[in-house]
């Protein structure tokens, strides 16, 4: 039973690391695009509020 739990824990950790390595790296460009869009909208509204 203890071996099963240890193996299960290792599997979860390995899967989590793989998820971080593979999936998050593929989402990074989307995060960058979203951040740029948010900043652009904020700057645009800031410029409009100064006029």
């Amino acid at each position: 039973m203890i071996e099963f739990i240890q193996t299960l824990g290792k599997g979860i950790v390995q899967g989590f690391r793989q998820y971080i390595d593979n999936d998050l790296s593929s989402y990074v460009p989307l995060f960058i695009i979203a951040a740029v869009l948010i900043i652009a909208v904020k700057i645009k509204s800031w410029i409009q509020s100064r006029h």
Side-chain angles (χ1 to χ4, degrees), residues 26-42:
S26 66
Y27 285 125
V28 165
L30 291 175
F31 284 135
I32 292 168
I33 292 165
V36 168
L37 287 173
I38 290 166
I39 291 166
V41 169
K42 292 283 181 190

Side-chain angles (χ1 to χ4, degrees), residues 16-50:
F16 195 66
R17 280 192 186 145
Q18 200 172 353
Y19 168 75
I20 288 170
D21 290 346
N22 296 343
D23 296 355
L24 285 185
S25 63
S26 66
Y27 285 125
V28 165
L30 291 175
F31 284 135
I32 292 168
I33 292 165
V36 168
L37 287 173
I38 290 166
I39 291 166
V41 169
K42 292 283 181 190
I43 289 170
K44 190 178 162 189
S45 64
W46 182 74
I47 290 168
Q48 286 176 342
S49 69
R50 301 222 4 177

